[in-house]
Amino acid sequence: MGVHMKKIELVCPAGNLPSLKAAIDNGADVVYTGFNDATNARNFEGLNFTHGELKEGISYAIRSGKKVYLAVNTFPQMDSYHQWRRSVDSAVGLGADALILAELGVLRYAREKYPDINIHLSVQASASNYESIDFYRRHFGIKRVVLPRVLTVEEMELLGERTDVETEVFALGGLCINIEGRCYLSSFVTGASTNTEGACSPSRFVQFANEGGHLRITLNGLLLNDLGPGEVSPYPTCCKGRYIRPDGEIAYAFEEPESLNILEMLPDVIGAGVDALKIEGRQRTKAYVGTVTRILRDAIDSYYRDPQRYIARDEWLAGTNATFEGSRPTLGCYLEK
Amino acid sequence: MKLTLGPVLFDWSRDELIRFYEEVAGMDIDRIYIGEVICAKKRSLEISDIEAIGTRLERAGKEVVVSSLAVVSNENELEMVRSISTLPFPVEANDMSVFNIIPTDSSIAGGQRGVIAGPHITTYNVPAVKFLQGIGVKRVIFPVELSKESVAYNILHTGIEAEVFAHGKVPLAFSWRCYTSRAYNLSKTRCQFHCRRYPDGMVLRTMDGEPVFTVNGTSILSASIYTLAGCIEDLREIGVSAVRVSPQYRDMARVVAVFRKRLDGEMGPIEAIEVLRETAGEGLCNGWYHAQAGKEYVGPELGALG
């Protein structure tokens, strides 16, 4: 496994200015953001940036020699398109270093109007092979693709050998077990389109009810989980719910409560030629952002100092796993499907 | 308005599939989509079988389209896309890779066969449709969650030939993980083909017993049957040119007959829903079309016009 000359880029999440500063102060190369509306895929109440806040955030990044990316990665419907164009215009006007886009019309608009900007293909576009990536490169000149979490590290490496487009992969944090940009579970239950509105399992549909020591969690009236004493659940979404299978077994039929943590596989991921590592969690606190950024920074630096002797330190694993809200660490499909 | 039959989403045996399409050849359907959308590990049909089925259906007077995989994540799956591109049928793209592998522009060599944007391409709006039209795509099957208003808006402003998913368990999600294997404590890599035991998928109920999802290998479908059988007049009015029914293990002929009668104006919405309800084990849904939650059902027999 060769050591790559160019150091892997660390891309960290921020849902507000304090998180952005925490990421930069703790070793992020790049912070990724979104505007506080439906044009990004983490559209939660009280989260994300106004025009003025992004301006301040970009200034802070520039002063520290770091970069800011902005996601406009949802799927507009009907006559709401102007809002997505405005997000693109604002981000370019403020000098974001790259736009993270997913939707064909938005990609076309951004590329035609701004021939020189850096466009990254969002994970929401679910481009999981080099032919799809080449399609987006030919038509929109994408510089980078954020790979969907459906590839093993071996597949990432083979993909990377067949494209000049940079690749970015998720390293830490919450995990969509289903392919993003193509998941209608939340929409099926609530009627609010995750792809268009930018929020899965919006909080206005979630209810917690205490009944005789049990915690019943519903989404738009549909029971997602019934927790007994001592049981915990991460933020309730359909994929993290418990269901009854035909044989009567009650199970987390899609996934156990778990979060991605690739610290132990870091040399493999870097060795696969990946260009950037992304931390999930624009909806999380600045304490989370600061903690996981610092740990991944240390891990990356430690790897480059002496690749052969890299080892995931116990305190890194304990530190990251402690941020996972009761869910356990997983390698997702990075090792095997 | 055309009646179409979608690709078989479940894992049926080779014999069952050949029998099924033999039966389908005799049904009054205009267009039939064949091929594998869900999982590259299914082994029922070789590419030569798919070609033979397509040729048989064409001889029976059907228009035949071959559908691509929805998730293409390695060389093996890309090979499946390349192999369907060698067949003498138009291709329904369910992953963007198809547009890069098969020429879509009819003015260039190999581009005459026609490529269609399937339901798993995220064609949400007018600029997306126009982009696809610009590269030569002639027909779009809109994402299943679009409401009547959204579909109508897209057709009105682009003139695209539009098909909608109109009957069957509706696809809701795809994963790298095989949820059927997971139920047997296996990974996808160690898959033992348990999907074969569930010819209409494995229904999941909530912890208080409400059927909600269907596990089908690496995909998740609804448990109930999504149906727009009550909305045919409506669909015609907004300019939809084809309605798709999705294969189910039993009662396919009955479902097709109901839709044919609806399209020919020989059966009203209430009677159609009555018959279809008998063929839908876990009930009906169609909320998305009416700008509600997809799991809800709005029907003419309930006093609300579909």
Side-chain angles (χ1 to χ4, degrees), chain A residues 34-35 37-41 43 71-74 83-85 87 196-197:
Chain A
F35 286 121
D37 58 30
T39 65
N40 83 95
N43 177 27
V72 184
N73 58 349
T74 45
Q83 201 184 340
W84 275 256
R85 289 195 199 104
S87 286
T196 296
E197 191 180 306

Side-chain angles (χ1 to χ4, degrees), chain A residues 178 182 184 244 336-337, chain B residues 70 94 172 179 189-190 205:
Chain A
N178 294 308
R182 304 166 114 187
Y184 302 120
I244 308 175
E336 183 189 288
K337 293 186 200 179
Chain B
N94 285 311
L172 299 175
Y179 299 121
T189 307
R190 291 172 177 72
R205 293 169 187 274

Side-chain angles (χ1 to χ4, degrees), chain A residues 75-79 81 85 103-106 108 124-126 128-132 134-136 138-140 149-151 155 162 176-179 181-185 187-196 216 219-226 238 242-247 249-250 252-256 258 330 332-333 336-337, chain B residues 70-75 77-78 82 94-97 99-101 119-122 124-125 127-128 130-132 135 143-147 149-150 153-154 170-177 179 182-183 187-190 198 202-210 212-213 215 218 220 222-224 226 285 288 291-296:
Chain A
F75 298 78
Q77 290 185 45
M78 295 193 277
D79 58 359
Y81 227 89
R85 289 195 199 104
E103 200 270 329
L104 290 169
V106 176
R108 185 186 203 174
Q124 301 291 327
S126 69
S128 51
N129 58 75
Y130 59 84
E131 295 282 3
S132 294
D134 190 53
F135 178 85
Y136 286 102
R138 285 198 294 122
H139 288 281
F140 310 112
R149 286 169 271 197
V150 300
L151 303 172
E155 286 169 347
R162 300 296 301 268
C176 278
I177 191 72
N178 294 308
I179 297 175
R182 304 166 114 187
C183 178
Y184 302 120
L185 295 182
S187 172
F188 183 70
V189 173
T190 68
S193 166
T194 304
N195 277 356
T196 296
R216 287 169 56 89
L219 181 66
N220 195 25
L222 186 100
L223 187 64
L224 291 186
N225 213 336
D226 185 340
C238 296
R242 261 196 298 196
Y243 304 93
I244 308 175
R245 293 194 181 115
D247 61 2
E249 189 190 356
I250 296 173
Y252 287 99
F254 305 124
E255 61 169 333
E256 305 291 328
E258 50 192 17
T330 175
C333 63
E336 183 189 288
K337 293 186 200 179
Chain B
V71 181
V72 179
S73 60
N74 55 39
E75 203 58 42
E77 288 161 357
L78 278 171
R82 292 192 185 105
N94 285 311
D95 180 76
M96 297 305 278
S97 57
F99 295 125
N100 212 49
I101 290 169
H120 311 299
I121 299 291
T122 43
Y124 272 77
N125 50 51
K130 285 186 173 166
F131 171 81
L132 291 171
I135 62 166
V144 289
E145 68 167 352
L146 293 198
S147 67
E149 199 187 358
S150 201
Y153 188 91
N154 291 338
V170 64
L172 299 175
F174 295 96
S175 179
W176 57 268
R177 173 173 281 166
Y179 299 121
R182 178 173 168 80
S187 65
K188 182 182 174 187
T189 307
R190 291 172 177 72
Y198 303 92
M202 178 197 291
V203 172
L204 297 181
R205 293 169 187 274
T206 63
M207 287 172 77
D208 51 10
E210 182 180 349
V212 57
F213 300 125
V215 160
T218 50
I220 305 170
S222 60
S224 50
Y226 194 84
C285 65
W288 272 330
Q292 298 182 18
K295 70 183 173 75
E296 303 300 336

Side-chain angles (χ1 to χ4, degrees), chain A residues 14-67:
Chain A
N16 53 41
L17 263 177
S19 292
L20 180 146
K21 291 175 180 173
I24 288 175
D25 296 347
N26 282 284
D29 296 311
V30 183
V31 182
Y32 70 102
T33 60
F35 286 121
N36 59 345
D37 58 30
T39 65
N40 83 95
R42 286 286 185 282
N43 177 27
F44 297 121
E45 224 168 296
L47 201 70
N48 293 317
F49 291 72
T50 62
H51 189 272
E53 287 164 350
L54 186 67
K55 188 175 181 183
E56 193 183 332
I58 290 177
S59 299
Y60 190 84
I62 289 173
R63 284 200 299 278
S64 315
K66 307 299 178 190
K67 294 178 181 174

Side-chain angles (χ1 to χ4, degrees), chain B residues 78-299:
Chain B
L78 278 171
E79 268 316 306
M80 278 184 72
V81 174
R82 292 192 185 105
S83 71
I84 63 168
S85 77
T86 65
L87 299 177
F89 313 114
V91 175
E92 172 177 83
N94 285 311
D95 180 76
M96 297 305 278
S97 57
V98 175
F99 295 125
N100 212 49
I101 290 169
I102 304 175
T104 48
D105 184 344
S106 58
S107 66
I108 61 170
Q112 290 81 17
R113 106 192 28 232
V115 180
I116 295 148
H120 311 299
I121 299 291
T122 43
T123 317
Y124 272 77
N125 50 51
V126 170
V129 174
K130 285 186 173 166
F131 171 81
L132 291 171
Q133 285 174 315
I135 62 166
V137 171
K138 298 285 186 292
R139 186 190 316 136
V140 165
I141 293 88
F142 285 110
V144 289
E145 68 167 352
L146 293 198
S147 67
K148 169 191 169 181
E149 199 187 358
S150 201
V151 171
Y153 188 91
N154 291 338
I155 296 172
L156 181 68
H157 291 91
T158 62
I160 188 75
E161 185 186 332
E163 180 171 324
V164 297
F165 186 98
H167 194 83
K169 291 190 172 196
V170 64
L172 299 175
F174 295 96
S175 179
W176 57 268
R177 173 173 281 166
C178 175
Y179 299 121
T180 308
S181 291
R182 178 173 168 80
Y184 291 87
N185 293 313
L186 295 167
S187 65
K188 182 182 174 187
T189 307
R190 291 172 177 72
C191 153
Q192 297 292 317
F193 305 97
H194 285 99
C195 288
R196 195 57 70 78
R197 298 187 187 192
Y198 303 92
D200 280 311
M202 178 197 291
V203 172
L204 297 181
R205 293 169 187 274
T206 63
M207 287 172 77
D208 51 10
E210 182 180 349
V212 57
F213 300 125
T214 294
V215 160
N216 178 43
T218 50
S219 70
I220 305 170
L221 317 177
S222 60
S224 50
I225 298 279
Y226 194 84
T227 190
L228 299 182
C231 316
I232 299 297
E233 293 78 4
D234 211 39
L235 290 163
R236 194 174 271 139
E237 195 182 301
I238 64 172
V240 168
S241 62
V243 288
R244 170 180 295 197
V245 298
S246 190
Q248 57 189 58
Y249 197 59
R250 294 191 178 78
D251 293 320
M252 200 67 241
R254 268 180 101 186
V255 170
V256 167
V258 166
F259 269 82
R260 175 48 67 196
K261 283 183 187 166
R262 288 286 290 129
L263 293 185
D264 292 347
E266 291 168 5
M267 187 187 269
I270 294 178
E271 190 188 344
I273 295 296
E274 267 172 22
V275 178
L276 293 174
R277 204 175 270 287
E278 290 169 13
T279 69
E282 314 298 344
L284 301 173
C285 65
N286 62 11
W288 272 330
Y289 183 74
H290 303 281
Q292 298 182 18
K295 70 183 173 75
E296 303 300 336
Y297 176 74
V298 178

Side-chain angles (χ1 to χ4, degrees), chain A residues 248-267:
Chain A
E249 189 190 356
I250 296 173
Y252 287 99
F254 305 124
E255 61 169 333
E256 305 291 328
E258 50 192 17
S259 293
L260 183 67
N261 187 347
I262 64 140
L263 281 169
E264 287 172 273
M265 281 189 85
L266 190 66

